[in-house]
Amino acid sequence: MKKSYRLVNLCCANCAARIEQKLGRIEGVTSANINFLTGRMTYECEDARAEAVAAEAEKIVHKIEPDVTIVAL
């Protein structure tokens, strides 16, 4: 299952890279991509883990970038 979100107020490319790296380490995630220029976060995960992965992704984003707003596309 492919999920896409918009990250509003993402401050730098380094933070985007750290978020992408940590997303890729979540169990069940097969690919993760964050485009700093567009502010888009996209990842693919197993269907059965979609809700758990979404919750973990939100925790990671807010831990690295506390002021970022995550908007579903």
Side-chain angles (χ1 to χ4, degrees):
M1 170 178 282
K2 189 171 188 176
K3 299 286 233 172
S4 292
Y5 297 92
R6 177 133 165 70
L7 303 179
V8 181
N9 296 328
L10 188 61
C11 78
C12 69
N14 185 43
C15 291
R18 288 179 56 213
I19 293 167
E20 181 177 286
Q21 181 182 38
K22 295 214 181 251
L23 278 177
R25 292 183 182 162
I26 297 174
E27 182 181 337
V29 173
T30 55
S31 71
N33 183 312
I34 301 214
N35 185 317
F36 172 67
L37 294 176
T38 63
R40 180 174 276 197
M41 172 175 77
T42 305
Y43 61 86
E44 289 188 52
C45 65
E46 300 168 0
D47 290 347
R49 299 246 326 126
E51 287 185 36
V53 169
E56 286 297 313
E58 192 163 338
K59 286 181 196 174
I60 290 168
V61 170
H62 288 295
K63 184 175 181 182
I64 294 172
E65 284 275 344
D67 295 329
V68 169
T69 303
I70 300 171
V71 180
L73 295 176

